Amino acid sequence: MDAGEVGHLFTRGDGSFLCARWGRPIVPVVFGVDDATLRVVKGAVEAVVALAGHEMSETDPELGANLMLFFVRDWDELRGVPNLDRLIDGLGPLLDRLEAAEANQYRVFRFDQNGAIRACFVFLRMDEHLSAVPAEILALSQAVQSILLWSDRAFVGTSPLGLVGEVAVLKPQIAGVIRAAYDRALPVMAQDPSHALRLLARIGAIN
């Protein structure tokens, strides 16, 4: 990868640059799946967290769980989740927009005073498209997209995953970016586009 490709991953549609990583151990909880799928999702999160060199924990002192994944058949199901409107500001209007757009996924991030990720809420509406995706691929994709604050354009028209035979794996270049972003010598949050050069230097060192 070159600096432009790395920078693209964190440059939003309005031209602003923002890269942020988790600043606390990740505590996942999954709603709306059976036990077998639950194990797949948590396994994917554990694998990506290990790749990043980050930590997981049994509980978050503030929220209990800080990575919440909701699998629903219809967006309206989320209106009945107790206290979700306290965690997500403007939940009702957000669900209205998702319904109108016929969206099938959405992520909401929350940040601490240093700009690090402190919580992530992942909403997946299992429409015909997502239901056709194998659980392992869907779980790994969501884990990757939750480990960093990527640009809203980062994976438009492409995927962070590739196939080795019939097995889904994380693309090496994306894995390199994740490992580099979690280098403790780098800030937990950066808004200067020159941060892409710092990431690229560490990708080269890792490789």
Side-chain angles (χ1 to χ4, degrees):
M1 301 184 77
D2 59 29
E5 290 171 319
V6 174
H8 169 76
L9 295 172
F10 304 102
T11 303
R12 309 192 67 78
D14 62 4
S16 63
F17 182 96
L18 179 57
C19 175
R21 68 176 187 251
W22 283 81
R24 61 182 63 191
I26 295 175
V27 184
V29 63
V30 186
F31 301 94
V33 299
D34 57 26
D35 289 343
T37 304
L38 174 63
R39 288 192 293 270
V40 170
V41 174
K42 287 196 170 183
V45 172
E46 290 170 357
V48 174
V49 170
L51 167 72
H54 194 52
E55 300 175 281
M56 296 184 67
S57 183
E58 291 296 321
T59 185
D60 179 80
E62 184 179 356
L63 296 173
N66 54 31
L67 174 56
M68 302 183 187
L69 300 99
F70 296 84
F71 290 74
V72 300
R73 290 292 176 185
D74 187 273
W75 289 124
D76 198 52
E77 292 179 31
L78 293 172
R79 300 182 195 276
V81 176
N83 300 318
L84 186 59
D85 57 343
R86 297 183 181 181
L87 296 173
I88 308 296
D89 295 333
L91 178 64
L94 170 62
L95 294 177
D96 290 340
R97 293 196 300 272
L98 294 176
E99 288 172 344
E102 298 184 350
N104 60 14
Q105 58 183 292
Y106 193 78
R107 277 169 294 280
V108 177
F109 289 88
R110 292 288 180 263
F111 306 92
D112 64 20
Q113 66 275 14
N114 297 315
I117 300 171
R118 70 178 178 89
C120 177
F121 306 90
V122 180
F123 304 120
L124 299 171
R125 181 176 66 87
M126 300 303 292
D127 62 2
E128 183 178 354
H129 173 70
L130 286 188
S131 296
V133 178
E136 293 80 4
I137 294 177
L138 184 60
L140 183 56
S141 175
Q142 295 305 317
V144 170
Q145 293 182 77
S146 302
I147 195 66
L148 290 172
L149 182 67
W150 306 94
S151 160
D152 53 347
R153 305 183 302 169
F155 303 119
V156 173
T158 186
S159 170
L161 309 184
L163 290 176
V164 176
E166 296 183 356
V167 179
V169 296
L170 183 57
K171 290 179 178 177
Q173 60 268 37
I174 300 300
V177 171
I178 292 171
R179 288 194 297 265
Y182 275 83
D183 187 317
R184 294 187 179 183
L186 295 182
V188 294
M189 183 275 291
Q191 293 177 288
D192 192 313
S194 66
H195 189 69
L197 293 171
R198 303 177 72 183
L199 290 172
L200 185 64
R202 280 156 180 80
I203 293 170
I206 291 169
N207 292 339

